[in-house]
Amino acid sequence: MTTAPHRTKTLLPLNSPDASLATVGGKGNNLARLARGHFPVPGGFLLTTQAYDDFVAQDNLSEWIADQIRATSTDDPDALEATSAAIRQRFRQTPVPEDIAAAVCRAYAELNAPPVAVRSSATAEDLPDMSFAGQQDTYLNVLGEDALLDAVRNCWGSLWTARAIGYRSRNHIDHDQVSLAVVVQKMVQSDASGVLFTANPLNGSRMQTVIDATLGLGEALVSGLVEPDHYVVETASGEILDRHLGEKATVIRGVDGGGTQTEQRTHADRPALTDAQIRDLVILGRRVANFYDAPQDIEWAFADGVLYLLQARPITSLYPIPEGAPEGRLNVYTSFGAIQGMLDPMTPLGQDMIRGFFAGGAILFGYPGTTVETQGVLFSAGGRLWGKLDPLIRNGFSRNLFTKALEVVEPSTGQAIASILDDPRLAVQRDRPSPKTIVQHLLPPARAMLPVIVDGLRRPEESRLRFQAHLEETLRSIQDRVDRAPTLAGWVAVVEYVFYELVPRLLPLLVPRVGVGVAMLNRWLALTNPIFRADQTGTLPNPLEITRGLPHNVTTEMDLTLWTVATVIRQDAAAAKQILEGDAAQLAASYQAGTLPYVAQAAVAAFLDRYGARGLAEIDFGRTRWRENPVQVFQMVQNYLRIEDENMAPDVIFGRGCCRRSGYRTIRAARPTATQWRTHRAHDSLDGAACALLAGLRESPKFFIIRTMGILREALLKHGDKLVADGVLEQPDDLVFLQVSEPANLPPVIAEIGVLDHGAPRRLRPRKASPPDPPLAVGRWSRFLRRAGQSRRRQRRWSPAHWQPRFPGVVEGTVHVVFDPHGANLKPGEILVCPGTDPAWTPLFLAAGGLVMEVGGLMTHGSVVAREYGIPAVVGVDRVTERLKTGQRVRVDGSTGRVEVLSAAADQ
């Protein structure tokens, strides 16, 4: 004997504990929760998805709908409209089943048959990570049983609007898996209504409440027919920070006998809300947000002075809060990706790798036992890393030091921080650590670093050679440990060794050498800039010229090595022709198969042996390396083979920089004062150590990290290959979607994180990442800032302005906006406009006439390499990739930081 399947009730009270997403849809489920939470929700009842299923089961209606959808091109708007109209007409012609109609009429009578609002509630609606708001229909001021049943049937049909069908198709939601419930509530004949956001959707602040209000029913507002009153309120205090009265020219009201009427009359001089009502709304919003423990988008109404809650749903557009953010104080975070010039999301394993290196730094500074999980510097939000800054800002010693450093490293973030330093919650702490505690943490690393600093200044060349030899030996030792770790658990042990033992030992050797060079270089620029600017003759060289042609920069060395590869290939005419005319992807496949001409095979192999761990967004351990897929390497070689002008050859460009770098000495011809003379003499003695020999090492620590990651990644992928062969994984690099400790206990982890259909190989799913956001986040509830003093509205107005100059010179050229250097066909002289750069971008610099970036500072990667090649550059231009368009002609002034649009793309 078979058991009959469980049947859901077709009608539930509004506060029913049986209400769920599956039974009453998103809107109904939210309202049921709010009603059970004793919020002021108008009374009513819920017609469940079972009622809808019973309705479409009549006369094979569901099969007919499926046939209509299968026959429709969901990319064709006209076809969608036609299909929607046919389905909805069929719904209107199909009677409501008698038992359902009787239940609806009984429930309506129990409400005393008042005017009601009838709202659709789909099962794929008001979800935490998707918003389907407004895709189904609502019917207001419905009066009488017949009108109510017609409204119910029309709501069911609204599951098949053209917009809803298209949205589900685009988001890969199975049409057969969605259903629709109906919410019936007593009509609130509102005097004022609107929406409330418990977090500011424009700047992301969880500390502000935003209210839009209009007169009458809220339908005019949610339909976009009216300019509402707009209020921004500080949630904690109730202080109204911004108040704007809208025209409110369209007012919708219910009428006797059912239905609504629309009035057209300006009400700009009449506020929709009193200050007391605004405070009541803020309190209600705070209660609802606390109830759901998440920011909410709330619909509300006032009728005869009584406040009603009509709906609440998650705000899906907010950037998430950093995971593990401490409670109880104002937190400040900066984007790690913005400083690195990489704005893309990072894989989970990639994030953990970076956190591990920071954990090693904490151990060096006297915090033994720090791990990836317990380090308190980097936090994850939106698939990206955020560095916690407020401890540095609240410390009197580091406050000024850190903010000035940011002016060099990432000026946009520095400007944003400067705009919040006056906040009393970020004042210097009086209960800061005692001098004894500070000494305990700083003295051991200082003792280790001081001899290295002195050695670097006294014997820079010997110090540099020892430094580089030590790095090479360290890499060999890591490779040896990896080779002796046959299991994934062994691989994890090697990673932990690198984080917690190797990094604390290496930092005292890395930081002083690089720090001395960079610090002395910056000191030189600071001292010589006033002299340069005071020069009335125009004969003195710009101090930034000293940064040209610095030796021992691994990135420029890489580009020169790649030029050597192209030069070697050019000597074999047949090989050069094959490489120049071939498809880069096919050439890469031929290289990996070992079938390229010998000269090309050997030259590329030698390059990848040294630089194969590099690649686009290389700071993310989870991203593909050139060694794995050398397509971009062949694209770069092809670009180099196309260089016919000897004056544009990379080695010639670099050589010119080396010559011009010595021009700074002519500054002394400007008759400096005695103080200036002593300063320049001091710098003469240190220039060779700081600028010529050590400043170029600036990118060596990162290159070491990338090569370490390359060794660890290559070993991990070998384990992944075995798991693919065993049918456990679909792709070897699925492992990068794990946390760093998880590979040691893989089977249970895979079972928990992600599976496909039964019998198919299990595949770890990438965790959802949010879109990029500004480089600074403030507050426990996250307020995101862009450039200091700029609102988002002001940012949309593009005009020539000053940002951060990064290399002198003026160039005019055509804009080429590039988001991915792979395959970018940048023509000589074009202005490269991009979000940010890492070493994978540098081959484009050889063709670019100028550079404009969204992020960056004096010592970030793009700025350093632009100076090496003498490219006028301006960085830190917020959202420049949106404001400038490919084909526009612009003037870039790297001396003043001015970017000016000369003509639109259409004028070219």
Side-chain angles (χ1 to χ4, degrees), residues 174-300:
D174 191 343
H175 296 285
D176 294 336
Q177 300 303 311
V178 295
S179 187
L180 190 131
V182 178
V183 180
V184 179
Q185 291 177 282
K186 292 180 179 179
M187 185 67 192
V188 177
Q189 305 291 359
S190 51
D191 306 310
S193 58
V195 296
L196 176 151
F197 298 92
T198 63
N200 192 324
L202 291 182
N203 63 20
S205 174
R206 271 74 163 180
M207 298 178 286
Q208 295 176 356
T209 296
V210 176
I211 301 169
D212 283 348
T214 190
L215 301 174
L217 303 180
E219 186 67 16
L221 192 153
V222 298
S223 301
L225 301 177
V226 64
E227 180 194 6
D229 292 349
H230 181 75
Y231 307 93
V232 179
V233 186
E234 187 177 80
T235 304
S237 67
E239 177 187 357
I240 300 174
L241 305 175
D242 185 29
R243 184 198 308 262
H244 172 76
L245 298 186
E247 292 287 331
K248 302 183 292 295
T250 300
V251 179
I252 300 177
R253 301 187 189 278
V255 296
D256 295 340
T260 61
Q261 66 179 13
T262 301
E263 304 171 3
Q264 296 291 342
R265 183 164 61 89
T266 299
H267 297 86
D269 58 344
R270 177 185 170 187
L273 297 171
T274 65
D275 286 1
Q277 288 176 321
I278 292 172
R279 285 193 293 272
D280 288 344
L281 280 169
V282 172
I283 293 171
L284 176 64
R286 191 163 57 221
R287 285 182 58 207
V288 175
N290 290 338
F291 181 73
Y292 282 104
D293 195 26
Q296 297 290 303
D297 169 0
I298 295 169
E299 295 178 23
W300 54 268

Side-chain angles (χ1 to χ4, degrees), residues 531-544:
I531 303 173
F532 168 73
R533 294 186 182 280
D535 174 36
Q536 302 298 317
T537 65
T539 59
L540 295 183
N542 190 301
L544 284 173

Side-chain angles (χ1 to χ4, degrees), residues 825-883:
N825 186 20
L826 192 74
K827 298 177 182 177
E830 287 185 326
I831 307 300
L832 173 60
V833 177
C834 58
T837 64
D838 63 12
W841 290 76
T842 56
L844 297 180
F845 287 24
L846 294 170
L851 172 68
V852 184
M853 292 195 306
E854 291 185 351
V855 298
L858 181 64
M859 297 311 298
T860 48
H861 174 82
S863 301
V864 170
V865 179
R867 290 195 298 271
E868 291 287 333
Y869 291 133
I871 301 171
V874 178
V875 303
V877 188
D878 185 56
R879 301 209 172 189
V880 68
T881 55
E882 297 177 10
R883 293 165 171 167

Side-chain angles (χ1 to χ4, degrees), residues 348-365 367-375 378 385 474 478 481 491-508 619 621 704-706 708-709 712-713 738-743:
L349 191 52
Q351 294 181 47
D352 275 3
M353 283 288 175
I354 300 301
R355 280 193 284 244
F357 284 105
F358 274 80
I363 293 171
L364 171 65
F365 282 91
Y367 297 93
T370 303
T371 66
V372 172
E373 294 78 14
T374 62
Q375 58 82 35
L378 291 176
L385 288 176
T474 301
I478 296 172
R481 283 178 176 267
W491 181 88
V492 172
V494 175
V495 172
E496 291 176 343
Y497 160 77
V498 171
F499 291 164
Y500 310 138
E501 296 185 40
L502 193 58
V503 170
R505 293 205 307 265
L506 276 178
L507 282 177
I619 200 67
F621 181 88
F704 169 78
I705 292 173
I706 297 304
T708 300
M709 286 185 179
L712 297 174
R713 178 177 166 87
L738 295 170
Q739 304 298 143
V740 72
S741 61
E742 290 175 336

Side-chain angles (χ1 to χ4, degrees), residues 693-867:
L693 294 176
L694 297 183
L697 298 180
R698 180 260 176 203
E699 297 203 0
S700 293
K702 180 182 177 183
F703 187 48
F704 169 78
I705 292 173
I706 297 304
R707 293 176 71 190
T708 300
M709 286 185 179
I711 294 170
L712 297 174
R713 178 177 166 87
E714 186 174 17
L716 184 67
L717 292 182
K718 289 180 180 178
H719 289 294
D721 288 333
K722 296 177 183 177
L723 292 169
V724 170
D726 293 339
V728 177
L729 298 179
E730 186 175 297
Q731 297 177 8
D733 65 353
D734 285 346
L735 291 171
V736 303
F737 297 107
L738 295 170
Q739 304 298 143
V740 72
S741 61
E742 290 175 336
N745 191 29
L746 192 61
V749 169
I750 290 182
E752 177 184 351
I753 292 181
V755 296
L756 292 179
D757 296 333
H758 292 294
R762 291 172 171 175
R763 177 172 172 77
L764 305 180
R765 297 174 181 174
R767 295 161 197 188
K768 185 176 180 182
S770 297
D773 225 277
L776 188 71
V778 181
R780 168 64 181 92
W781 298 109
S782 297
R783 176 161 55 101
F784 289 92
L785 302 180
R786 297 182 185 279
R787 300 184 65 79
Q790 287 190 340
S791 68
R792 189 169 288 199
R793 181 175 298 176
R794 284 181 58 193
Q795 289 167 357
R796 295 194 183 105
R797 301 171 185 168
W798 174 265
S799 60
H802 292 272
W803 286 281
Q804 299 293 327
R806 285 297 163 250
F807 191 79
V810 179
V811 64
E812 293 182 9
T814 301
V815 168
H816 193 146
V817 179
V818 179
F819 293 96
D820 186 341
H822 288 179
N825 186 20
L826 192 74
K827 298 177 182 177
E830 287 185 326
I831 307 300
L832 173 60
V833 177
C834 58
T837 64
D838 63 12
W841 290 76
T842 56
L844 297 180
F845 287 24
L846 294 170
L851 172 68
V852 184
M853 292 195 306
E854 291 185 351
V855 298
L858 181 64
M859 297 311 298
T860 48
H861 174 82
S863 301
V864 170
V865 179
R867 290 195 298 271

